[in-house]
Amino acid sequence: MTALNWMAHSAQDVYPTFLQAGQDSGGDALSSSAASWIIVCYTLGAIAGSVVFGALSERLGRRRTIVLAVGLGLAVIPLFIFPTNGVAFLVLGAILMQSLVQGAWGVVPAHLTEMSPDAIRGFYPGVTYQIGNLLAALNLPIQEHLAAGHGYPSALAWTVGPALLAVIVATSLGTEAKGAPFGAAPTPALTSASAPAPPLSPSPAPFGVDGT
């Protein structure tokens, strides 16, 4: 989850600043209005990607779909970060990158839920996500520090690329539980707690009732 969160934040957090940054910082020097429209476009791409890849994971499997989306994201990096390609290619790169990054994320809710033990299924996905997000919070200050010394394209390349690779490696080495039946194997603690109490044995007759 740290790798997945880092991937998402590295592709999003500093990107609006990159679009408006001056050319001395490697940006495209766009107006705030133009940058806003690009953000709207790639957000729509992100929504579409999450739906498409989420549905695709029902056929390909969770891990294969994540690796496919993230692998395609690696190929899009040059379009995503180099303003010298022109604004049109920058917009195309942003839409493609966000649709692929969030496409991978479109698989995550089902993937985490299926892998969660029944006893903590309402707890495990959210806590796992938040721990990963906590660690990925380091991304933005690292990107800003790199951008100050090397420019925004380098800062994006040096954070987005490794994050994508980390997701591919971690996902490939992991497991999945697609189609896992929920509640099929209740834990012993839950079974004993929900089992009916045994019937009480009859009390012995008081002394003398039976004539003795």
Side-chain angles (χ1 to χ4, degrees), residues 24-25 142-152 155:
D24 57 329
S25 299
I142 290 174
Q143 282 186 315
E144 290 289 7
H145 178 75
L146 291 172
H150 304 280
Y152 282 100

Side-chain angles (χ1 to χ4, degrees), residues 39-190:
I39 294 169
V40 169
C41 289
Y42 72 58
T43 301
L44 293 174
I47 294 171
S50 65
V51 173
V52 170
F53 282 95
L56 188 61
S57 73
E58 289 295 317
R59 300 186 63 181
L60 296 183
R62 311 304 186 201
R63 291 190 303 147
R64 285 181 181 177
T65 305
I66 292 173
V67 170
L68 173 62
V70 177
L72 291 173
L74 283 171
V76 173
I77 288 178
L79 287 176
F80 181 60
I81 65 174
F82 292 122
T84 53
N85 293 326
V87 175
F89 282 104
L90 199 64
V91 173
L92 176 62
I95 293 172
L96 289 175
M97 179 61 78
Q98 296 304 330
S99 66
L100 294 168
V101 167
Q102 297 306 319
W105 267 100
V107 183
V108 170
H111 186 39
L112 274 182
T113 303
E114 290 167 340
M115 293 182 65
S116 301
D118 282 335
I120 56 171
R121 181 161 286 119
F123 169 85
Y124 180 84
V127 171
T128 304
Y129 166 79
Q130 293 297 350
I131 292 173
N133 211 24
L134 173 66
L135 297 174
L138 294 170
N139 167 75
L140 183 56
I142 290 174
Q143 282 186 315
E144 290 289 7
H145 178 75
L146 291 172
H150 304 280
Y152 282 100
S154 295
L156 286 163
W158 295 343
T159 51
V160 175
L164 294 174
L165 288 172
V167 171
I168 290 174
V169 171
T171 305
S172 299
L173 295 177
T175 60
E176 70 176 80
K178 180 180 175 295
F182 295 166
T187 61
L190 291 178

